[in-house]
Amino acid sequence: MSTTIVPGTPGAIPQISQIPEAVIRIAGNSQDGIQAIGGFLARLAGRSEQEVMTFMTIPSTISGGPSIFQVRIGSGEVLSAGDEADMLLAFYQHSYDNHLGSLRKGGVVLYDSDHVKELLPENLSKYRHVGVAISGLTVEAIGGSGRDKGKNVFALGLLARMFDLSVPKLHKLLEERFTGKDPSIVQNALNCFNAGYNYTLATAHELFRLKPGENVGHNQVVMSGNEAIALGLLAAGVRFGAGYPITPWSDIMEMLRRELPKYGGTFVQGEDEIASVSMAIGASYAGRVAVTGSSGPGIALKTEALGWASMAEMPLVIIDVQRGGPSTGMPTSVEQSDLNIACFGGHGDSPRVVLAPSTVEDCFYTAIEAVNLARKYSTPVILLTDQGIATRIEAFPEPDLKKVCQDISPDLSPIADHKPYDLSAADGITRHIAPGTRVASGKYPVVTGLEHDELGHPTGSPKLHIAMTSKRRSKLQKLGRELPVPKVYGPSEGQILLVGWGSAQGPIQEAVKTARAAGEAVSGLHIKYINPLPEGLEQIFEGFRHVFVVELNDEGLYGYGQLAAVLRARYCNPKIRGINKVDGLTWKIREILDRARALAQ
Amino acid sequence: MNSLAFPFVPLNRTGSIPLTPVPSLPDSDRKPLTKKEVSADHPTWCPGCGDFSVLALYFKMIEKRKLWHEKITTVAGIGCSSRFPYFVQAHGAHYIHGRALPFASGISLSRPDLHVFVFGGDGDAFSIGGNHFNHTARKNIKLTYVVMDNQVYGLTKNQTSPTSPLGRKSKTDAWGSADRPINPMKQAISAGATFVGRTSATSPNHVLEMMEAAMDHDGFSFIECLSECVEFFPGAFDAAIPRKGGKFELIPPSHDVTDEYAAYRLSDNPWPGQFGIFYKVNRPTKNASEAKIIADHRAKVTGLADWQILQKNFDRMK
Ligand SMILES: Cc1ncc(C[n+]2csc(CCOP(=O)(O)OP(=O)(O)O)c2C)c(N)n1
Ligand code: SF4
Ligand SMILES: [Mg+2]
């Protein structure tokens, strides 16, 4: 928060500082609606042509409990949710005690003086303290019902004052949020907000104004990664899905269950993950790529069926929203430890495609690509996201839906003859015809998990097993050659190349920027297509002395994380090493750089 | 971003096979499929296996009821009996052990134009697939499920199955099975199946009658068909075979098929029990309830293209 002083507004607190971006951490209990304040701020940023990224923790107990929501709003590029907060909004003593450390020195802590009573003297000199009786004033604002429900909206008013946010836009967001409800609810919300906004922040020495956003002219949409995936699947033409609830995948299935009927589609809650993947495969076989998904433990249950889809070469999209594992592990924490199961999980040689989106926008488009790849290569495709990207909110330019939406309904017109596993097909790719298609030759295909001949009938012939195994492998090697070669972020030569995948892209790019600003020769590389890998990576690696793979998973028995191990196996290049952690939190820029510098010693 | 590395491409359905136009025949001009036209691979079953009879009667039903190749889909899991789809000349799927029902449900729920038939064994249905059996029945998904019950694991060569009678010796119970067997009729009725029938491969006319009734039922229709494994459990069903001195006893016509308790009591008759329709009621299928949900939702978006429906979601996210 580097500040430029602009002349004060008459009658108000004298000093308003213009700032390019702000990191605000809201700490309280989840039942106080702190996610809602964060959501309002994110959507406001989206409507103000600003960039925004959020980070939240979900309490692991049902009844709620301590939770945080961090929002980073910037007029320029926002690549991560921020290492340190500029402002902490603390609702309780525990929020104050546990999160003060996340505030940068000199940052502002805005606290509810009705709940936060113990302020350590050494903190008073380190951070600017602004106490407001948030609970009491909320009760007052809504007419003394004795309950402080609505204090989140009061606090939003305070923040609007503190950061000079657009009041008309926030009023509109509040109204939209509560439309359809009792009008008195809308009025209460507005009362709370206005009371917060009009509170004279006399103890704050400084107010802030965010620089106008630079994304002018773009219509922005604001959503979470999970929402973007669900909407991407709808745009891709998916009309059938099946799943079993598990955090953090459930949001996607809930949204698809709500939305699909509008498009004539169905989402089924299966009795378990095996049933769900099987229903999805059945529906894919019936002619239209279907989707299933889960998180770690449920993905493990799906692997036998995945092997079938690989063998039968059935298109299918499987979403894996990773969380801390193994087993029930750390269900509400972020981790990237399912790369191995995604690429290799299962029995036998069972090639499949694995993709990992890096941003919320990328979730939307990658969901469409997953469907298109499943169709084009007649293969299961796993889309790997993680708890971090699933729940974080970002703004991105609104897609041109008329162009993006696609129709993937099956062609059921009669056909002269058909061999799904045709070994002489010029492109080497299997093509299924859906049941309902009449074959004039009278010879109908069977799809099967047994090794088979070109019509799908079982065979024990070693020759055919060799030919078909190679067919299943070759089509993905062909895809590997078609994949776009990833671009280096920063110069293509230097000391250190930071390689990442999935949600690590933002933090890595920000780390690169920070290091470059300090004169260090650091670049970044993001790998989106994990299996198969694109070509040209070894040439990229040649430009650097060190290649560090930054992953949220364990360093493993031999010192390499999961992607690092794949890259080492593929390139036999000893300069590939790993930077790993499993603390359940996304990367901090400082962490990446400290670890990279130490490793490069 | 905004541009896809892999945009939509139309698929070439036939690979190297030339795409010649196929004249479509009105159904009225099509002759019923003969046994020859509807049989594919020669069955790999042991000579004398009861499963042959079930296959022959499936063919017969296809011919009799004028079902076309492309209108039926035959699905199975894993087991001797589950090899079924390879022997049928029609669209078919040989899926994984125990999971044929959810696979078939995916077809049934997305393709109302198809008849979905599922065949399998007792292990496939009641052991590894037991939970799928219960939930497919409960959801009343429209499909026909024929379990070829030989009371043994045939394909894996004589282990105890969930329907093996108490005391039956097998490779996994050398001293005789100690676990109470599942009663398929009770299982199906209590799970909520809306059509529950029982037959025996040795009574062909009855098998055909049951299959036709099952096919005509709007809902989850389940048939247990006793089908002898001559290799590992010969003589298992002699008590139900008149030719072998047994008795093939039909359910008395006085039985009210909509009476769940009566059906349950019938299921308790001493071995070999009775044959026919134990239970049959009409309850909305999941296919119908999902269709209703869809119709209600579609009514709210009439006249909108898919992208316009999606646009409404995006508008709410600004
Ligand atoms: C996951 C899995 N576990 C075990 C097997 C091995 N297996 C194949 S068939 C079968 C039992 C078959 O018994 P049943 O379903 O009664 O069919 P039958 O052969 O008697 O017709 C078993 C255990 C398998 N194919 N897959
Ligand atoms: S082993 Fe038994 S069930 Fe299998 S084919 Fe032979 S007789 Fe039939
Ligand atoms: Mg059996």
Side-chain angles (χ1 to χ4, degrees):
Chain A
M1 210 149 67
S2 59
T3 60
T4 358
I5 312 282
V6 293
T9 334
I13 293 151
Q15 185 176 317
I16 293 187
S17 309
Q18 180 134 345
I19 51 172
E21 63 159 37
V23 178
I24 303 169
R25 177 175 286 216
I26 305 155
N29 288 338
S30 63
Q31 62 268 37
D32 297 328
I34 62 172
Q35 270 83 3
I37 323 181
F40 281 125
L41 291 176
R43 295 182 69 179
L44 175 71
R47 289 183 183 188
S48 310
E49 284 110 12
Q50 281 154 331
E51 290 215 356
V52 60
M53 187 175 294
T54 70
F55 166 77
M56 64 191 259
T57 61
I58 320 169
S60 41
T61 54
I62 312 291
S63 57
S67 130
I68 67 143
F69 198 103
Q70 185 161 315
V71 197
R72 184 179 191 179
I73 302 174
S75 53
E77 197 176 27
V78 168
L79 293 167
S80 77
D83 276 15
E84 291 184 313
D86 299 307
M87 142 136 338
L88 171 68
L89 172 59
F91 281 104
Y92 300 101
Q93 187 71 43
H94 66 74
S95 331
Y96 176 87
D97 295 343
N98 295 337
H99 294 283
L100 204 59
S102 68
L103 201 57
R104 70 168 169 81
K105 229 179 141 215
V108 181
V109 51
L110 181 65
Y111 61 94
D112 183 348
S113 54
D114 288 333
H115 287 288
V116 182
K117 301 283 188 198
E118 284 165 42
L119 310 174
L120 288 180
E122 71 253 34
N123 287 338
L124 288 172
S125 55
K126 228 162 133 188
Y127 310 105
R128 283 196 236 165
H129 280 66
V130 182
V132 179
I134 296 176
S135 300
L137 290 169
T138 302
V139 174
E140 224 170 80
I142 48 182
S145 71
R147 295 181 60 222
D148 59 5
K149 203 163 183 283
K151 69 182 178 184
N152 60 337
V153 182
F154 181 91
L156 182 67
L158 285 175
L159 290 174
R161 179 59 172 225
M162 197 92 202
F163 290 96
D164 194 23
L165 304 175
S166 159
V167 174
K169 281 182 180 161
L170 280 168
H171 274 178
K172 185 143 186 288
L173 278 167
L174 283 167
E175 278 161 14
E176 283 170 17
R177 161 78 183 244
F178 296 111
T179 44
K181 299 223 166 112
D182 188 338
S184 71
I185 295 183
V186 184
Q187 198 48 54
N188 269 348
L190 291 175
N191 289 348
C192 287
F193 177 84
N194 294 340
Y197 186 76
N198 293 325
Y199 182 81
T200 38
L201 282 165
T203 46
H205 303 296
E206 191 185 16
L207 298 183
F208 308 98
R209 179 174 296 152
L210 282 160
K211 272 198 196 149
E214 289 167 4
N215 292 334
V216 186
H218 293 302
N219 243 343
Q220 295 205 104
V221 284
V222 179
M223 65 183 79
S224 70
N226 269 351
E227 287 170 328
I229 286 189
L231 296 179
L233 292 167
L234 292 171
V238 169
R239 296 295 177 260
F240 187 93
Y244 187 77
I246 184 170
T247 306
W249 139 263
S250 306
D251 299 340
I252 299 178
M253 78 177 260
E254 288 158 10
M255 185 156 189
L256 289 174
R257 176 71 184 146
R258 275 196 312 274
E259 298 299 323
L260 270 172
K262 296 181 196 163
Y263 304 82
T266 302
F267 194 97
V268 181
Q269 177 173 337
E271 53 271 28
D272 57 31
E273 283 85 353
I274 304 177
S276 304
V277 64
S278 301
M279 286 182 202
I281 294 177
S284 274
Y285 165 62
R288 194 195 264 273
V289 182
V291 67
T292 185
S294 192
S295 300
I299 295 296
L301 283 176
K302 292 181 198 288
T303 53
E304 188 198 357
L306 173 63
W308 187 91
S310 191
M311 180 57 126
E313 302 190 56
M314 197 53 72
L316 174 72
V317 174
I318 303 182
I319 315 279
D320 178 1
V321 189
Q322 301 167 94
R323 59 186 220 177
S327 192
T328 313
M330 302 261 283
T332 57
S333 295
V334 57
E335 207 165 284
Q336 297 179 297
S337 47
D338 286 356
L339 184 135
N340 280 346
I341 195 175
C343 296
F344 313 113
H347 52 287
D349 294 306
S350 53
R352 77 291 300 267
V353 176
V354 181
L355 312 172
S358 55
T359 61
V360 170
E361 179 179 33
D362 203 18
C363 282
F364 177 76
Y365 291 104
T366 307
I368 303 172
E369 268 193 17
V371 172
N372 292 344
L373 287 173
R375 274 167 51 83
K376 185 168 177 206
Y377 291 90
S378 207
T379 178
V381 175
I382 298 182
L383 206 153
L384 266 183
T385 73
D386 58 53
Q387 197 273 338
I389 205 169
T391 55
R392 87 181 186 212
I393 299 173
E394 284 176 47
F396 65 91
E398 180 177 17
D400 182 347
L401 292 179
K402 195 172 177 188
K403 276 208 198 115
V404 165
C405 285
Q406 51 186 48
D407 180 2
I408 56 165
S409 13
D411 179 355
L412 298 177
S413 57
I415 204 165
D417 200 2
H418 186 67
K419 282 193 283 187
Y421 305 103
D422 187 352
L423 284 166
S424 58
D427 60 0
I429 296 172
T430 288
R431 290 284 163 245
H432 291 294
I433 50 171
T437 310
R438 189 160 76 82
V439 183
S441 69
K443 294 230 173 330
Y444 284 80
V446 184
V447 289
T448 169
L450 277 171
E451 190 55 279
H452 42 261
D453 62 16
E454 292 178 300
L455 256 172
H457 286 263
T459 173
S461 143
K463 240 174 84 183
L464 269 173
H465 184 48
I466 294 165
M468 289 292 177
T469 303
S470 145
K471 178 176 191 297
R472 292 185 287 268
R473 175 198 352 104
S474 308
K475 69 177 180 186
L476 295 196
Q477 290 172 316
K478 176 171 148 49
L479 165 60
R481 292 189 293 272
E482 286 178 14
L483 291 173
V485 180
K487 284 196 190 62
V488 177
Y489 186 79
S492 57
E493 279 178 12
Q495 279 290 312
I496 299 176
L497 180 69
L498 297 171
V499 180
W501 60 281
S503 63
Q505 186 192 43
I508 286 180
Q509 293 188 349
E510 195 171 332
V512 168
K513 275 186 160 178
T514 311
R516 292 242 151 229
E520 292 165 284
V522 178
S523 295
L525 186 74
H526 180 76
I527 301 186
K528 167 176 177 169
Y529 302 95
I530 311 257
N531 198 57
L533 285 168
E535 306 214 311
L537 296 183
E538 63 254 76
Q539 288 86 320
I540 294 176
F541 295 163
E542 267 167 29
F544 296 86
R545 238 177 94 120
H546 303 285
V547 174
F548 296 147
V549 187
V550 182
E551 299 178 82
L552 295 172
N553 53 37
D554 188 49
E555 62 181 49
L557 293 183
Y558 308 112
Y560 314 107
Q562 300 188 7
L563 179 62
V566 173
L567 293 175
R568 283 185 73 100
R570 164 96 199 255
Y571 300 111
C572 301
N573 187 338
K575 69 184 170 193
I576 301 172
R577 286 186 287 163
I579 294 181
N580 306 76
K581 68 161 191 169
V582 289
D583 62 359
L585 300 170
T586 45
W587 286 107
K588 289 198 160 60
I589 312 312
R590 191 175 357 97
E591 267 172 348
I592 298 177
L593 288 176
D594 289 351
R595 300 269 302 268
R597 287 175 189 136
L599 206 56
Q601 285 299 306
Chain B
M1 132 127 240
N2 283 343
S3 73
L4 292 171
F6 296 94
F8 171 82
V9 283
L11 300 180
N12 159 12
R13 287 200 298 164
T14 50
S16 60
I17 300 167
L19 256 185
T20 45
V22 180
S24 70
L25 283 178
D27 280 357
S28 53
D29 290 0
R30 292 172 77 176
K31 289 204 192 65
L33 295 175
T34 61
K35 181 178 174 228
K36 194 165 166 240
E37 286 169 315
V38 83
S39 46
D41 293 1
H42 184 74
T44 42
W45 293 314
C46 308
C49 176
D51 296 350
F52 278 102
S53 158
V54 183
L55 179 68
L57 293 155
Y58 186 50
F59 291 161
K60 198 155 201 174
M61 179 185 72
I62 291 170
E63 181 177 351
K64 181 172 171 206
R65 298 298 297 270
K66 290 186 93 176
L67 302 180
W68 313 124
H69 283 135
E70 73 275 14
K71 289 296 176 198
I72 54 171
T73 303
T74 314
V75 179
I78 300 292
C80 287
S81 41
S82 293
R83 309 272 304 194
F84 214 90
Y86 297 121
F87 314 143
V88 183
Q89 191 58 267
H91 292 282
H94 187 221
Y95 193 52
I96 56 178
H97 192 26
R99 325 292 176 188
L101 282 180
F103 182 100
S105 303
I107 305 172
S108 170
L109 291 171
S110 49
R111 291 292 299 280
D113 55 320
L114 302 172
H115 279 290
V116 183
F117 296 93
V118 187
F119 294 89
D122 38 298
D124 202 67
F126 299 115
S127 194
I128 189 164
N131 201 35
H132 305 311
F133 181 86
N134 289 341
H135 287 274
T136 315
R138 167 177 86 85
K139 290 180 172 172
N140 200 22
I141 292 172
K142 181 163 170 47
L143 54 86
T144 296
Y145 188 25
V146 181
V147 172
M148 292 133 92
D149 188 359
N150 53 13
Q151 301 187 345
V152 67
Y153 280 11
L155 190 72
T156 44
K157 303 191 166 66
N158 197 12
Q159 295 86 8
T160 300
S161 108
T163 53
S164 295
L166 276 173
R168 178 181 183 268
K169 294 191 170 108
S170 77
K171 281 198 214 157
T172 43
D173 281 310
W175 41 84
S177 159
D179 304 322
R180 181 181 190 269
I182 275 173
N183 179 321
M185 295 295 101
K186 284 189 179 177
Q187 187 82 7
I189 298 161
S190 61
T194 51
F195 179 105
V196 182
R198 186 162 183 259
T199 186
S200 166
T202 44
S203 300
N205 293 337
H206 193 257
V207 174
L208 183 62
E209 189 189 321
M210 286 298 109
M211 275 205 216
E212 285 193 67
M215 183 184 96
D216 291 337
H217 177 69
D218 186 18
F220 176 71
S221 49
F222 163 64
I223 300 170
E224 181 203 16
C225 179
L226 301 182
S227 179
E228 185 177 336
C229 172
V230 291
E231 185 70 21
F232 299 117
F233 200 178
F237 308 129
D238 284 1
I241 306 173
R243 193 163 45 81
K244 297 198 174 163
K247 196 170 170 214
F248 184 76
E249 190 182 332
L250 293 178
I251 292 171
S254 59
H255 170 62
D256 175 2
V257 293
T258 64
D259 182 341
E260 191 171 335
Y261 293 101
Y264 213 75
R265 274 193 300 276
L266 270 191
S267 318
D268 253 342
N269 281 342
W271 181 256
Q274 291 169 319
F275 298 87
I277 299 173
F278 280 61
Y279 186 59
K280 181 178 178 336
V281 285
N282 286 322
R283 187 157 55 75
T285 58
K286 181 162 183 71
N287 309 59
S289 35
E290 290 297 325
K292 165 129 194 356
I293 293 169
I294 290 173
D296 292 348
H297 281 78
R298 295 289 287 170
K300 292 183 200 140
V301 292
T302 29
L304 297 185
D306 285 358
W307 74 266
Q308 290 167 313
I309 305 173
L310 194 58
Q311 186 65 53
K312 288 174 164 245
N313 282 65
F314 278 82
D315 290 344
R316 278 195 295 275
M317 292 177 150
K318 284 177 186 162

